[in-house]
Amino acid sequence: MTLTSLTKPLAGCPKDAAPGATSHSPNTADGGSVADPVAREGTASADGMAVASFVLGLLGTLVFNVALGPCALVLGTLALARRTRRRGRAVLGLALGAADLLILAALTTADATVSWHLGG
């Protein structure tokens, strides 16, 4: 080793940083900085959409599936398009939203109404 190789900064390190020093700016998986509020806000809103899609899809299987099913489908699709970190919940929201519409179709064909009947 020569003296010049010891004094050269490592690749990716600032010139004034000591060799072997690491950068203290954490990065997210998508390449954005954690300190970047715009990137964090976009991911947070997509995560919220994924959770809302799941909750609306779940509620839609029990009540008011004519409105909650399509809302779950739209929110799940938007969350996936915006690359949410909660991909599983967005996919579950899509599946539950589709199930809501299938339940609605089955109830409509069974008794020609858009309402639930728990008795005979």
Side-chain angles (χ1 to χ4, degrees), residues 20-106:
T22 59
S23 174
H24 292 291
S25 62
N27 292 329
T28 59
D30 61 354
S33 174
V34 173
D36 185 15
V38 175
R40 191 173 51 211
E41 181 181 322
T43 304
S45 68
D47 291 346
M49 284 184 208
V51 172
S53 171
F54 173 70
V55 170
L56 290 177
L58 193 60
L59 286 175
T61 59
L62 303 173
V63 293
F64 207 48
N65 53 2
V66 69
L68 296 181
C71 288
L73 288 172
V74 168
L75 286 174
T77 303
L78 284 174
L80 289 174
R82 293 183 182 184
R83 299 184 183 266
T84 181
R85 290 180 290 167
R86 298 177 186 254
R87 184 174 170 80
R89 288 204 180 126
V91 171
L92 278 173
L94 285 172
L96 287 170
D100 293 347
L101 295 179
L102 290 174
I103 290 170
L104 177 66

